[in-house]
């Protein structure tokens, strides 16, 4: 396990480094930073001056190294539109996104796990079929449209929830549900298959044979063993939700980093885009790492290959 | 008589890594093997599972590079021949006819693949040739356009044999050619192999776990143990007067009464 | 060994057999149904897209500001000339919807083809050659998997400028991961089959081994993944267009139609309902088709 962990850490570092290269160059290729800084109508002299001041006349590799080293210290440079530094800006916006992603995850777990368990207890029953069908059908609905429809139904017609913004916890209900339902099917499926496997395992049958109460067996043994893969999956899904937040936040006008990224992409605010891309990617890498470790811990075969 | 195929101190070792920080180890699957295949003869190769028989076979087929040593074909170093030239002279018959035929291809395509790879003749000749080979191997030509899944195990093995022989190779490497087949079919296939050998003047390397088969068919037998050849004798000599301890053990293990044989004789 | 395991189901032969049969049958039937329904609906949409010029009652681009936001047929004050009403520029909604199918299908199919080629090339190469090559390609896959698609796609589309072609290319170069992962493991399996060794022993050049021995045996995975990636790409295009960084106005992308209808949400929610339903139906049909194909071609159902 230790060996596996060390190998994984090396891999994760390499991936993170590669991702940072991509984040840097992808965005830098997208526009001329000097022109952006100097303004559209700047003349050649001004642009050249700007290049000097910001060090944009140095080789790209040097600029990248400089950017990465500063980023590691939390210094992501300056935004073109906001008075705050990019670091401050991201720090300000990140909590909203994390909260949103977290509540989305909670929603998908709250729906996915119970239905997965029921489906596993009665495989091929109508509960199983219907919950699976709904889950599959749900995958076909675009998230942003789902968000808008919920907004119309609960916000405008029923007036149960706020329509947009992120001021109170009520504001998070619709976005969290929108974000969460999309991750429900994989969680439901994994819970179901995990439970099916565990329920047919010998120790569960022994527990039943010993006369333990069915529900107790279910919760104490079966669920616990089926749950670790679900946790592993959930950590990956959490990463997906961070990037899914970009769509949801713009639908519900929530001031998270997703919304910030969208705004910044639209107006080519390079430093901000780079920072968000890097941070979200690093979250991804970290969450996948956790999931890998969990899976490997559970299934020793993974460690060998 | 010079051997048609000969190995000299042949060695093949695999790197096996046991972990990132522990040093890599080598496993010598084949270790200093020198055997000779005489033209028109059958060399039996026996030994327990994992002793390196298939690895040796793969090297003879050019599917696995030796880490050391030489293979000589007609006295010529094997590596000087291209895979193309080798293929025309040495061909394999594998153990599992369920895995050795591409399930997506028709019998015709399978049998004529060597011809098309080597660009021998025209596609019209191929049909003729495929019929001929199927006939030779005891397959009805109505199976020409069948897929392997429509054939029985024995029939599949006949297809594999037809494919191996279509280029008229001199040496055929048979790696447990019957062990995946039903007992009732095994003897048919073995008989076919022997008939073809006499008819076409082939030379066989016959790898088998079945010592009775080897005793019957092989002219010489090599016994392999942990990657090395521990005994290499005329068949009669070996079965009557085994020299090496391992050979004795191997022979003894077969002499343990076999309940199925017993049942049949009753 | 074999005899023992073969004997097992015979412990309760009748029951086991029957429940197995029904289950098997049920799965078969539902798989076929989902192919029929999914394929049927998808076929209808494809026909609609192909014959859009014949089917569309109006020019999807012609504006008529005097007829803005006419309601669809199920509402009062509808105009029978515009069955699904008109948008905020007075363009016929049904016509835009019909032409929009072209965009979605084009994006879905082209993206799936591009990403399919990239992904299978990477996956088959990694699976066949193994070793260092596999390590490098696995690393590329891992890296790709640690980049959020929407964010990267947005950034790149912003870079090259939003358009149909840009979206197809960007998505095509992003959505290859599933192909690569599946093709890699399928190839690893196929590579170890003896027919591959046989072909190599024949002297078959590597490209030919890969193309004619390996590829036909892994290609059925490709079809299943392709259907899911078509759906995935259609949804992503809609998201990108919705965010203003995909297909650009005045093209009638369904995602863009939803974005344009967003400001009229309050009084005319049907403006976003209609294209959203169209999108969901299309994606559902593609997914059902894929599910069905997967179930039918699953190894347990083969032979
Ligand atoms: N590609 C490889 N990488 C690492 N080890 C290998 C490889 N191929 C074979 N080996 C090892 O080499 C040894 C010999 O294998 P080989 O297949 O030649 O045995 P065998 O005598 O044919 O066995 P069997 O009778 O079961 O077919 C085994 O220990 C095997 O694990
Ligand atoms: Mg072997």
């Amino acid at each position: 396990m230790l060996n596996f962990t060390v190998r994984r850490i090396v891999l994760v570092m390499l991936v993170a480094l590669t991702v940072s290269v991509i984040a840097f160059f992808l965005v830098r290729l997208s526009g001329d930073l000097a022109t952006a800084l100097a303004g559209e109508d700047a003349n050649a002299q001004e642009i050249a001056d700007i290049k000097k001041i910001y060090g944009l006349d140095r080789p790209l590799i040097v600029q990248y190294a400089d950017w990465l080293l500063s980023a590691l210290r939390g210094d992501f440079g300056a935004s073109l539109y906001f008075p705050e530094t990019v670091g401050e800006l991201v720090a300000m916006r990140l909590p909203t996104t994390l909260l949103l992603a977290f509540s989305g995850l909670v929603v998908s777990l709250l729906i996915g796990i119970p239905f997965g368990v029921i489906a596993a207890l009665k495989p091929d029953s109508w509960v199983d079929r219907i919950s699976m069908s709904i889950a599959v059908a749900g995958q076909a609905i675009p998230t942003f449209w789902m968000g808008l429809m919920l907004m119309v139904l609960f916000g405008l017609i029923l007036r149960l929830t706020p329509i947009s913004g992120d001021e109170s916890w009520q504001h998070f209900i619709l976005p969290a549900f929108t974000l969460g339902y999309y991750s429900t099917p994989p969680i439901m499926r994994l819970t179901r298959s995990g439970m099916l496997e565990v329920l047919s395992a010998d120790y569960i049958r022994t527990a039943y044979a010993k006369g333990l109460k069915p529900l107790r067996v279910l919760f104490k043994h079966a669920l616990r063993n089926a749950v670790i893969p679900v946790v592993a999956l959930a950590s990956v899904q959490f990463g997906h939700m961070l990037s899914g937040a970009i769509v949801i936040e713009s639908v519900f006008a929530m001031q998270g980093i997703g919304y910030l990224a969208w705004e910044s992409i639209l107006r080519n605010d390079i430093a901000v885009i780079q920072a968000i891309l890097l941070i979200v990617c690093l979250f991804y890498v970290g969450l996948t790492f956790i999931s890998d470790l969990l899976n490997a811990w559970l299934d020793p075969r993974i460690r060998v290959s | 008589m010079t051997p048609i195929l000969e190995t000299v101190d042949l060695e093949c070792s695999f790197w096996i890594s046991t972990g990132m920080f522990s040093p890599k180890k080598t496993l010598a699957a084949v270790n200093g093997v020198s055997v000779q295949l005489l033209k028109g003869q059958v060399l039996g190769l026996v030994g327990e599972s994992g002793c390196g028989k298939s690895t040796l076979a793969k090297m003879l087929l050019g599917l696995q590079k030796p880490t050391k040593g030489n293979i000589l074909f007609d006295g010529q170093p094997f590596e000087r021949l291209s895979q193309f030239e080798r293929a025309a002279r040495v061909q394999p018959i594998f153990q599992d006819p369920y895995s050795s035929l591409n399930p997506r291809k028709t019998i015709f395509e399978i049998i004529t693949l060597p011809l098309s790879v080597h660009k021998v003749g025209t596609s019209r000749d191929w049909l003729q040739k495929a019929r001929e080979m199927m006939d030779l191997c005891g397959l009805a030509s109505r199976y020409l356009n069948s897929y392997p899944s429509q054939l029985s195990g024995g029939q599949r093995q006949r297809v594999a044999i037809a494919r191996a022989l279509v280029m008229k190779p001199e040496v055929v490497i048979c790696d447990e050619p019957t062990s995946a087949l039903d007992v009732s079919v095994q003897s048919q296939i073995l008989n076919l192999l022997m008939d073809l050998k006499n008819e076409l003047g082939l030379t066989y390397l016959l790898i088998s776990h079945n010592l009775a088969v080897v005793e019957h068919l092989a002219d010489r037998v090599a016994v392999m143990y942990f990657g090395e050849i521990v005994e290499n004798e005329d068949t009669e000599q070996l079965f009557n007067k085994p020299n090496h301890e391992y050979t004795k053990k191997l022979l003894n293990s077969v002499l343990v009464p076999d309940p199925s044989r017993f049942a049949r004789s009753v | 060994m074999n005899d023992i395991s073969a004997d097992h189901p015979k412990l309760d032969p009748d029951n086991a057999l029957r429940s197995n049969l029904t289950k098997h049958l049920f799965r078969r039937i539902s798989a076929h149904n989902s192919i029929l329904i999914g394929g049927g609906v998808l076929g209808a949409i494809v026909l609609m897209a192909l014959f859009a010029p014949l089917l569309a009652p109006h020019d999807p681009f012609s504006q008529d500001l005097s007829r803005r936001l006419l309601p669809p047929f199920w509402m009062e004050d509808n105009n029978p000339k515009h069955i699904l009403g008109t948008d905020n520029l007075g363009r016929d909604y049904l016509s835009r919807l019909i032409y929009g199918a072209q965009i979605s299908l084009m994006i879905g199919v082209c993206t799936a083809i591009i990403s399919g080629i990239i992904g299978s090339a990477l996956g088959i190469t990694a699976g066949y050659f193994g070793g260092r090559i596999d390590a490098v390609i696995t690393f590329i896959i891992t890296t790709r998997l640690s980049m959020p698609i929407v964010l990267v796609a947005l950034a790149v589309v912003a870079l090259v400028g939003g358009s149909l072609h840009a979206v197809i290319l960007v998505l095509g170069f992003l959505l290859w991961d599933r192909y690569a992962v599946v093709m890699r493991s399928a190839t690893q399996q196929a590579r170890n089959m003896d027919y591959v060794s046989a072909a190599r022993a024949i002297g078959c050049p590597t490209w030919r081994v890969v193309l004619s021995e390996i590829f036909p045996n892994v290609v059925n995975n490709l079809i299943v993944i392709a259907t899911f990636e078509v759906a995935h790409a259609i949804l992503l295009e809609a998201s990108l267009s919705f965010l203003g960084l995909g297909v650009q106005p005045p093209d009638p992308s369904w995602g863009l139609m939803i974005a344009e209808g967003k400001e009229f949400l309050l009084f005319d929610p049907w403006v976003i309902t209609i294209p959203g339903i169209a999108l969901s139906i299309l994606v559902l049909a593609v997914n059902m088709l894929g599910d069905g194909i997967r179930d039918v071609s699953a190894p347990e159902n083969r032979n």
Side-chain angles (χ1 to χ4, degrees):
Chain A
M1 191 67 199
L2 183 69
N3 206 316
F4 175 83
T5 313
V6 173
R7 252 185 308 161
R8 274 282 138 165
I9 289 177
V10 173
L11 181 69
V12 161
M13 300 288 232
L14 272 176
V15 170
L17 198 66
T18 316
V19 164
S20 76
V21 172
I22 294 173
F24 178 82
F25 286 95
L26 198 65
V27 182
R28 276 305 290 277
L29 290 173
S30 69
D32 186 358
L33 190 51
T35 324
L37 285 168
E40 284 297 324
D41 39 45
N43 62 34
Q45 183 54 46
E46 283 168 338
I47 291 179
D49 287 345
I50 291 274
K51 277 195 175 161
K52 241 212 190 92
I53 294 170
Y54 287 94
L56 297 176
D57 49 353
R58 297 171 300 166
L60 268 178
I61 296 288
V62 179
Q63 293 185 43
Y64 162 74
D66 194 30
W67 170 77
L68 186 64
L69 290 177
S70 320
L72 288 178
R73 291 193 309 263
D75 171 13
F76 290 96
S79 157
L80 296 178
Y81 293 87
F82 294 97
E84 296 93 351
T85 67
V86 176
E88 288 166 356
L89 205 54
V90 171
M92 235 164 59
R93 303 286 192 96
L94 195 56
T96 306
T97 303
L98 288 179
L99 189 59
L100 174 61
F102 183 73
S103 31
L105 191 63
V106 170
V107 168
S108 65
L109 291 175
L110 281 182
I111 304 174
I113 292 181
F115 276 96
V117 171
I118 296 173
L121 289 180
K122 295 204 179 325
D124 282 327
S125 67
W126 62 269
V127 190
D128 183 12
R129 279 173 195 291
I130 290 183
S131 56
M132 256 324 144
S133 311
I134 293 178
V136 168
Q139 295 273 288
I141 303 174
T143 39
F144 62 94
W145 186 67
M146 176 81 153
L148 290 172
M149 295 314 282
L150 291 177
M151 192 192 275
V152 170
L153 183 63
F154 291 100
L156 292 173
I157 300 178
L158 299 176
R159 294 183 185 277
L160 288 174
T161 56
I163 295 171
S164 62
D166 53 24
E167 291 81 33
S168 69
W169 65 267
Q170 285 99 331
H171 283 92
F172 279 83
I173 298 175
L174 293 184
F177 184 79
T178 314
L179 200 53
Y181 91 90
Y182 210 68
S183 293
T184 306
I187 288 174
M188 202 191 286
R189 224 170 271 162
L190 195 64
T191 310
R192 180 182 182 272
S193 65
M195 283 297 287
L196 276 178
E197 194 174 313
V198 168
L199 284 175
S200 65
D202 285 341
Y203 64 97
I204 295 291
R205 284 204 232 131
T206 317
Y208 272 125
K210 272 202 235 150
L212 290 180
K213 287 226 177 67
L215 268 183
R216 222 174 122 210
V217 175
L218 179 63
F219 281 100
K220 193 143 173 266
H221 294 280
L223 201 53
R224 200 172 56 194
N225 281 282
V227 121
I228 298 168
V230 175
V231 173
L233 175 67
S235 87
V236 174
Q237 292 294 333
F238 188 72
H240 288 305
M241 288 185 183
L242 283 180
S243 84
I246 191 168
V247 180
I248 303 297
E249 285 175 9
S250 61
V251 169
F252 290 96
M254 305 176 86
Q255 300 292 318
I257 55 165
Y259 194 78
L260 180 64
W262 181 48
E263 284 178 311
S264 307
I265 287 173
L266 282 178
R267 54 197 184 198
N268 214 7
D269 196 347
I270 290 176
V272 182
I273 310 174
Q274 281 176 334
I276 295 179
L277 204 52
L278 183 67
I279 289 170
V280 176
C281 287
L282 290 186
F283 262 106
Y284 250 59
V285 174
L287 289 164
T288 315
F289 174 62
I290 294 174
S291 141
D292 282 351
L293 283 194
L294 283 173
N295 279 325
W297 176 52
L298 198 68
D299 184 355
R301 277 169 303 176
I302 299 176
R303 281 176 238 160
V304 187
S305 64
Chain B
M1 193 157 127
T2 55
I4 184 159
L5 189 59
E6 179 178 11
T7 70
V8 184
D9 258 342
L10 200 61
E11 187 185 306
C12 178
S13 28
F14 295 107
W15 290 95
I16 40 175
S17 68
T18 43
M20 197 175 188
F21 302 108
S22 37
K24 284 197 169 176
K25 287 182 189 158
T26 57
L27 172 121
V30 171
N31 196 0
V33 166
S34 303
V35 288
Q36 298 166 345
L37 268 74
L38 300 180
K39 190 162 176 56
Q41 292 204 345
V42 177
L43 175 66
L45 183 62
V46 297
E48 66 190 357
S49 190
C51 69
K53 304 183 297 290
S54 295
T55 308
L56 177 61
K58 278 188 188 145
M59 287 190 285
L60 294 178
L61 289 162
L63 296 177
Q64 176 82 54
K65 273 218 171 67
T67 32
K68 234 166 81 197
N70 279 316
I71 302 173
L72 303 176
F73 196 98
D74 256 346
Q76 262 193 29
F78 206 48
E79 67 257 36
R80 237 184 263 160
L81 303 176
S82 68
Q83 181 66 36
F84 232 61
E85 291 164 299
R86 284 177 221 176
R89 312 176 93 166
V90 187
Q91 277 296 303
I93 295 170
F94 293 105
Q95 170 180 6
D96 181 4
Y98 289 86
S99 140
S100 68
L101 306 182
N102 188 338
R104 305 274 157 176
K105 292 192 160 178
T106 63
I107 304 307
F108 170 74
E109 288 171 310
I110 291 170
I111 294 180
T112 56
L113 180 69
L115 301 177
S116 100
V117 169
H118 288 254
K119 302 201 175 65
V120 181
T122 65
S123 34
R124 200 196 250 155
D125 304 335
W126 295 352
L127 189 63
Q128 179 63 31
K129 191 81 191 170
R131 285 226 166 90
E132 213 173 276
M133 290 315 297
M134 286 172 82
D135 191 40
L136 195 64
C137 298
L139 261 178
S141 57
R142 69 188 137 96
Y143 290 119
L144 258 181
N145 292 313
S146 307
Y147 285 88
S149 59
Q150 295 164 295
L151 269 55
S152 72
Q155 287 171 322
R156 286 174 192 232
Q157 198 60 307
R158 286 172 197 271
V159 174
I161 294 171
R163 168 181 58 193
L165 298 184
V166 72
M167 291 291 291
K168 302 224 173 306
E170 289 148 82
V171 179
V172 178
I173 312 284
C174 312
D175 192 349
E176 305 184 32
T178 57
S179 56
L181 301 176
D182 269 358
V183 185
S184 55
V185 190
Q186 287 188 0
S187 58
Q188 291 174 17
I189 297 294
L190 288 172
N191 284 338
L192 173 67
L193 282 174
M194 290 332 275
D195 290 347
L196 290 169
K197 175 191 151 241
N198 295 333
E199 203 166 321
L200 305 172
L202 299 169
T203 306
Y204 285 159
L205 174 67
L206 178 66
I207 300 176
S208 183
H209 280 288
N210 188 333
L211 290 185
V213 166
V214 173
E215 185 175 9
H216 258 88
L217 306 184
D219 299 294
R220 272 182 89 81
V221 177
V223 180
M224 202 164 181
Y225 183 59
F226 277 111
E228 293 177 26
I229 299 291
V230 292
E231 197 158 354
N232 187 348
E233 281 294 340
D234 278 341
T235 308
E236 212 165 312
Q237 173 91 14
L238 185 112
F239 276 86
N240 290 336
K241 263 204 267 155
N243 269 329
H244 196 273
E245 275 311 306
Y246 176 68
T247 314
K248 286 179 195 162
K249 254 170 73 187
L250 201 65
L251 294 184
N252 278 334
S253 63
V254 190
L255 296 180
V256 174
D258 179 347
S260 66
R261 225 184 262 173
F262 186 68
R264 208 180 302 144
S265 67
V266 169
Chain C
M1 280 294 281
N2 271 335
D3 296 344
I4 297 170
S5 59
D7 270 345
H8 248 322
K10 285 180 197 151
L11 293 177
D12 185 5
D14 248 42
N15 231 336
L17 198 67
R18 195 173 314 135
S19 86
N20 241 339
L21 253 176
T22 41
K23 219 183 251 173
H24 194 81
L25 217 63
F26 207 92
R27 212 177 291 140
R28 269 302 254 278
I29 291 172
S30 71
H32 282 295
N33 269 348
S34 95
I35 289 182
L36 273 181
I37 299 174
V41 173
L42 182 62
I45 298 177
V46 169
L47 286 179
M48 183 174 96
L50 284 178
F51 295 106
L54 298 177
L55 291 173
H58 299 269
D59 178 355
F61 299 104
S62 87
Q63 306 178 1
D64 181 355
L65 291 183
S66 65
R67 297 173 167 225
R68 299 178 63 230
L69 291 171
L70 289 177
F73 67 90
W74 65 84
M75 291 171 69
E76 282 170 33
D77 297 332
N78 69 68
N79 180 332
K81 274 192 184 156
H82 301 281
I83 299 177
L84 291 184
T86 57
D87 69 2
N88 64 319
L89 296 174
R91 297 174 293 196
D92 180 55
Y93 227 45
L94 177 61
S95 306
R96 288 184 72 69
L97 205 66
I98 290 175
Y99 275 90
Q102 288 183 338
I103 295 181
S104 286
L105 287 173
M106 177 108 112
I107 300 244
V109 172
C110 295
T111 301
I113 290 174
I114 296 176
S115 53
I117 291 173
I118 299 174
S120 343
L122 286 174
I124 292 178
T125 311
Y128 185 76
F129 293 102
R132 292 243 163 92
I133 296 178
D134 183 32
V136 170
I137 292 179
T138 306
F139 180 75
I140 297 176
I141 298 175
T142 316
T143 308
R144 158 57 202 86
L145 284 174
S146 42
M147 298 195 305
I149 295 183
V150 182
L151 200 53
V152 175
L154 276 180
V156 182
V157 173
L159 183 163
V160 294
S163 72
L164 191 65
H165 300 275
V167 173
I168 289 176
L169 280 179
V170 169
L171 293 183
F173 277 87
L174 279 175
L175 297 183
W176 49 262
D177 49 296
R178 206 185 314 205
Y179 292 100
V181 170
V182 174
M183 291 307 250
R184 174 175 169 267
S185 62
T187 306
Q188 281 174 338
Q189 266 177 29
R191 178 190 61 175
N192 287 330
M193 302 300 279
D194 282 340
Y195 56 80
V196 173
S197 300
R200 285 174 56 211
I202 282 165
C204 221
T206 303
W207 63 266
R208 195 162 165 181
V209 173
V210 171
L211 280 188
S212 77
E213 306 294 321
I214 304 262
F215 189 71
N217 286 291
V218 295
V219 75
N220 54 345
N221 299 297
L222 208 59
I223 296 163
V224 176
I225 309 168
T227 56
F228 293 118
E229 290 305 340
V230 166
H232 196 180
I234 291 174
L235 283 176
L236 277 172
E237 179 272 331
S239 301
L240 293 183
S241 299
F242 174 76
L243 292 172
L245 283 160
V247 175
Q248 297 298 310
D251 282 344
S253 150
W254 292 347
L256 193 56
M257 285 166 77
I258 297 176
E260 288 166 346
K262 200 180 145 195
E263 38 181 319
F264 309 100
L265 191 81
L266 198 50
F267 300 109
D268 299 303
W270 57 267
V271 182
I272 60 160
T273 312
I274 292 172
I277 290 177
L279 257 176
S280 307
I281 290 177
L282 173 58
V283 173
L284 185 61
V286 176
N287 276 342
M288 282 179 80
L289 182 65
D291 271 338
I293 297 177
R294 186 195 49 207
D295 290 349
V296 168
S297 66
E300 33 178 343
N301 286 353
R302 235 183 265 152
N303 288 340

